[in-house]
């Protein structure tokens, strides 16, 4: 069997983190090819339902990246994300989904190296956890 | 005019929905004038074989309450769907999975272990579990199979309308019955309620600023009965719940628990409330946020109290 390659959906805010990822690319920094990037205007745009949908559709993990605290283009967006992600992680753990699968972090436009290391770290953590099958543990019926 | 042919059924439910149907009070006489009830297990003695003999689509409408938990629930859902022109998921369990759907935090194995082995009053040294088929001297006995995952009615058969509530309020029930009686039916898929907006929208309590530093459970504070309960730190679900009940619970001093389901257009009611709640926490410090959240002792059970089977993830992963 081929080695498990985690699928990670990454929501990146337009103003800092997407630019950071871009910098990683233009600087030719190597990083794990496991992330599928979705650009959003602000990390505050990432409603918890986006994350649930990604997990439901087969993502093994979801990464949300925004501007560092205090730097959000819309002032408050990333703080709101911080609160929602904390509550979402607690809720997901009751549903059998490990904390490491849903990660929030901050990457500025100049942090290409940081972007790459966050992606690499998360990929390795999820590789160790194995695939997420949302209905794992369910016995067959009907 | 020919009388309307109605059937009512209960699957995995508590019986409250059947009582709620009777709660339409003297309107039940009006209903009796215009409708014949052909099948109603809680109130009338019929057999499944009576239903099996009816021609397909010979029933005008079926009010189906309860979730789908066993092979019997599933079988009757298919049977009644085939016999009925209109299928209505009546009440939270049928519509979203409801309280029985909380079983999706577990699986069949863990539920059976709890119920037949671990409970303090159980003495079962041979670890006997219920079996769908058992041989006895008189022959083979069969009971319905208990499924691993609770499903909603719409995850099982095609559903025409949904009536929300645990149980639905009298006026909501009557709204659905009136539509059937008059033949003025809304578009397929409609959730029949007096409101498409939130419970907050019809709640008369005084709303000021929603900024929360501490959450409380209902037994921990006596709230000011005139003010919004959420603003006082109680987990009032009104923001993420469809109106139509008239905001009954908050007006009685109890937070809304979300029984009328999501507001129009929302997928996954639980995450909608989660999002609204997290947004009003008045704090930017990661550690303090954790501490405030620690006061919400059972977030998943609170957010998905009536809707786990209908949520995007449908059930917990069991390792
Ligand atoms: S949160 Fe509850 S108490 Fe406050 S307005 Fe909404 S329904 Fe009423
Ligand atoms: S206030 Fe909420 S829980 Fe109470 S009846 Fe209305 S929708 Fe249901
Ligand atoms: S714009 Fe980057 S987090 Fe808000």
């Amino acid at each position: 069997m081929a080695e498990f390659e985690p699928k990670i959906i990454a929501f990146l805010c337009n103003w800092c983190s997407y630019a950071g990822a871009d910098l990683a690319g233009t600087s030719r920094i190597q990083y794990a090819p496991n992330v599928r990037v979705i650009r959003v205007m602000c990390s505050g745009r990432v409603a918890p339902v986006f994350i649930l949908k990604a997990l439901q559709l087969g993502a093994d993990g979801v990464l949300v990246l925004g501007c560092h605290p205090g730097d959000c283009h819309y002032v408050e967006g990333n703080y709101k994300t911080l609160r929602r992600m904390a509550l979402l992680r607690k809720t997901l753990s009751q549903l059998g989904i490990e904390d490491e699968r849903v990660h929030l972090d901050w990457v500025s436009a100049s942090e290409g190296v940081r972007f790459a290391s966050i992606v690499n770290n998360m990929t390795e953590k999820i590789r160790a956890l194995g695939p997420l099958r949302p209905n794992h543990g369910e016995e067959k019926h009907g | 005019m020919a009388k309307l042919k109605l059937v009512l059924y209960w699957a995995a439910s508590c019986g409250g929905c059947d009582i709620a149907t009777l709660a339409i009070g003297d309107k039940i006489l009006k209903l009796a004038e215009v409708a014949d009830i052909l099948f109603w297990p809680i109130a009338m003695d019929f057999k499944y074989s009576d239903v099996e003999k009816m021609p397909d689509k010979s029933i005008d409408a079926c009010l189906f309450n309860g979730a789908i938990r066993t092979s019997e629930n599933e079988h009757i859902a298919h049977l009644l769907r085939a016999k009925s022109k209109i299928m209505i998921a009546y009440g939270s369990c049928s519509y979203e999975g409801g309280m029985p759907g909380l079983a999706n935090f577990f699986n069949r194995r863990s539920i059976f272990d709890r119920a037949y082995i671990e409970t303090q009053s159980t003495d079962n040294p041979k670890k006997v579990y219920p079996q769908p088929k058992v041989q006895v001297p008189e022959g083979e006995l069969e009971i319905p199979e208990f499924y691993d995952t609770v499903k909603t009615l719409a995850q099982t058969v095609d559903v025409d309308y949904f009536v929300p509530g645990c149980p639905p309020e009298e006026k909501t029930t009557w709204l659905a019955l009136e539509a059937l009686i008059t033949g003025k039916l809304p578009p397929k898929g409609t959730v029949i309620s007096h409101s498409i907006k939130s419970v907050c929208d019809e709640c008369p309590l005084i709303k000021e600023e929603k900024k929360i530093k501490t959450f409380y459970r209902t037994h921990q504070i006596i709230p000011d009965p005139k003010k919004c309960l959420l603003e006082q730190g109680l987990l009032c679900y009104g923001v993420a719940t469809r109106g139509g009940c008239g905001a009954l619970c908050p007006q009685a001093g109890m937070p809304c628990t979300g029984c009328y389901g999501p507001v129009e257009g929302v997928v996954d009611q639980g995450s909608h409330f989660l999002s609204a709640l997290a947004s009003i926490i008045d704090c930017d410090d990661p550690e303090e946020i954790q501490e405030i959240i620690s006061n919400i002792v059972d977030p998943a059970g609170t957010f998905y109290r009536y809707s786990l089977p209908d949520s995007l993830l449908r059930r917990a992963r069991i390792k």
Side-chain angles (χ1 to χ4, degrees), chain B residues 185-204:
Chain B
L185 295 164
K188 184 173 166 155
T190 297
V191 178
I192 299 177
S193 175
H194 285 87
S195 173
I196 56 166
K197 294 192 188 152
S198 70
V199 171
C200 288
D201 197 62
E202 55 186 10
C203 176

Side-chain angles (χ1 to χ4, degrees), chain A residues 46-57 69 76 79-98 101 106 129-142, chain B residues 74 104-105 107-109 145 147-149 151 267-268 271 273-275 277-286 289-290 293-301 303-304 308 311-319:
Chain A
V46 184
V49 70
F50 294 7
I51 295 168
L52 295 175
K53 189 77 189 172
L55 297 174
Q56 183 218 25
L57 291 177
E76 275 284 324
Y79 289 116
K80 188 156 121 183
T81 310
L82 182 68
R83 299 190 284 262
R84 283 169 168 175
M85 293 289 277
L87 191 52
L88 179 64
R89 267 203 299 273
K90 184 168 174 185
T91 306
L92 286 177
S93 74
Q94 287 181 280
L95 289 165
I97 295 177
E98 303 88 345
R101 293 194 189 268
W106 318 123
L129 284 175
L132 175 82
R133 283 161 292 148
N135 289 350
H136 184 70
E138 182 178 36
E139 295 169 30
K140 268 211 137 26
H141 72 67
Chain B
E74 188 178 42
N104 286 1
F105 280 110
N107 60 5
R108 168 168 43 199
R109 170 55 60 186
E145 189 188 344
Y147 288 157
D148 199 56
T149 299
K151 288 200 261 176
V267 176
D268 203 286
S271 76
F273 188 36
L274 185 162
S275 182
L277 210 56
S279 307
I280 60 170
I281 293 174
D282 185 18
C283 176
D284 289 342
D285 175 67
I289 290 171
Q290 284 302 339
I293 284 174
S294 72
N295 292 321
I296 304 175
V297 287
D298 176 17
F303 303 152
Y304 294 108
L308 187 55
S311 70
L312 283 171
L313 296 177
R314 289 194 181 190
R315 60 165 297 115
R317 286 166 86 219
I318 313 283
K319 276 182 227 152

Side-chain angles (χ1 to χ4, degrees), chain B residues 49-300:
Chain B
S49 57
D50 297 324
V51 181
E52 277 155 15
K53 284 185 206 118
M54 297 176 187
D56 281 0
K57 304 288 174 213
S58 60
I59 298 165
D60 290 309
C62 169
L63 259 59
F64 192 107
N65 74 67
I68 307 300
R69 138 67 73 217
T70 67
S71 56
E72 181 189 23
N73 302 151
E74 188 178 42
H75 170 68
I76 302 298
H78 283 290
L79 179 65
L80 289 173
R81 173 68 275 190
K83 305 295 176 189
S84 312
K85 291 187 194 120
I86 297 171
M87 180 58 115
I88 301 178
Y90 180 85
S92 302
C93 299
S94 180
Y95 171 22
E96 303 173 281
M99 294 271 171
L102 289 170
N104 286 1
F105 280 110
F106 309 92
N107 60 5
R108 168 168 43 199
R109 170 55 60 186
S110 58
I111 292 169
F112 276 16
D113 282 346
R114 181 74 192 141
Y116 297 106
I117 310 286
E118 295 162 9
T119 35
Q120 285 70 9
S121 57
T122 301
D123 183 23
N124 183 3
K126 288 193 186 144
K127 296 199 189 307
V128 180
Y129 291 99
Q131 301 298 322
K133 287 192 175 130
V134 170
Q135 278 299 330
V136 291
E138 293 79 7
E140 192 180 66
L141 290 180
E142 205 181 327
I143 57 168
E145 189 188 344
F146 185 96
Y147 288 157
D148 199 56
T149 299
V150 174
K151 288 200 261 176
T152 68
L153 184 62
Q155 287 164 356
T156 310
V157 298
D158 189 39
V159 172
D160 297 292
Y161 303 110
F162 303 87
V163 178
C166 181
E169 274 307 299
E170 177 222 312
K171 61 178 181 177
T172 311
T173 303
W174 189 245
L175 194 64
L177 290 173
E178 233 178 358
L180 292 174
I181 293 166
T182 59
K184 288 186 190 128
L185 295 164
K188 184 173 166 155
T190 297
V191 178
I192 299 177
S193 175
H194 285 87
S195 173
I196 56 166
K197 294 192 188 152
S198 70
V199 171
C200 288
D201 197 62
E202 55 186 10
C203 176
L205 301 191
I206 298 164
K207 294 153 213 154
E208 283 161 348
E209 209 188 357
K210 289 191 172 49
K211 278 190 179 255
I212 314 283
K213 276 262 187 231
T214 323
F215 290 107
Y216 299 100
R217 305 178 77 186
T218 44
H219 64 275
Q220 292 173 318
I221 55 162
I222 298 175
D224 179 337
K226 294 202 187 63
K227 290 189 174 161
C228 168
L229 301 176
L230 183 60
E231 289 170 15
Q232 299 180 67
L234 290 169
L235 297 175
C236 189
Y237 213 136
V239 280
T241 303
R242 178 186 298 265
C245 69
L248 287 174
C249 300
Q251 288 184 79
M254 286 300 285
C256 169
T257 56
C259 86
Y260 262 50
V263 290
E264 193 76 17
V266 166
V267 176
D268 203 286
Q269 186 191 13
S271 76
H272 185 202
F273 188 36
L274 185 162
S275 182
L277 210 56
S279 307
I280 60 170
I281 293 174
D282 185 18
C283 176
D284 289 342
D285 175 67
E287 271 168 40
E288 202 187 333
I289 290 171
Q290 284 302 339
E291 207 177 301
I292 296 172
I293 284 174
S294 72
N295 292 321
I296 304 175
V297 287
D298 176 17

Side-chain angles (χ1 to χ4, degrees), chain B residues 1-8 18 20-40 44 60-61 63 88 90 170 173-182:
Chain B
M1 200 179 91
K3 279 183 137 184
L4 202 63
K5 295 192 186 76
L6 280 184
V7 299
L8 293 91
D18 282 294
T21 326
L22 290 170
I24 59 172
D26 53 8
K27 292 200 184 87
I28 201 107
L29 298 173
K30 172 138 194 245
L31 183 64
E33 266 171 39
V34 295
D36 282 328
I37 296 180
L38 304 185
F39 178 64
W40 191 6
M44 303 156 83
D60 290 309
L63 259 59
I88 301 178
Y90 180 85
E170 177 222 312
T173 303
W174 189 245
L175 194 64
L177 290 173
E178 233 178 358
L180 292 174
I181 293 166
T182 59

Side-chain angles (χ1 to χ4, degrees), chain A residues 6-24:
Chain A
K7 279 198 207 83
I8 299 172
I9 298 296
F11 292 99
L12 272 50
C13 91
N14 180 57
W15 301 101
C16 290
S17 309
Y18 192 82
D22 222 20
L23 182 64

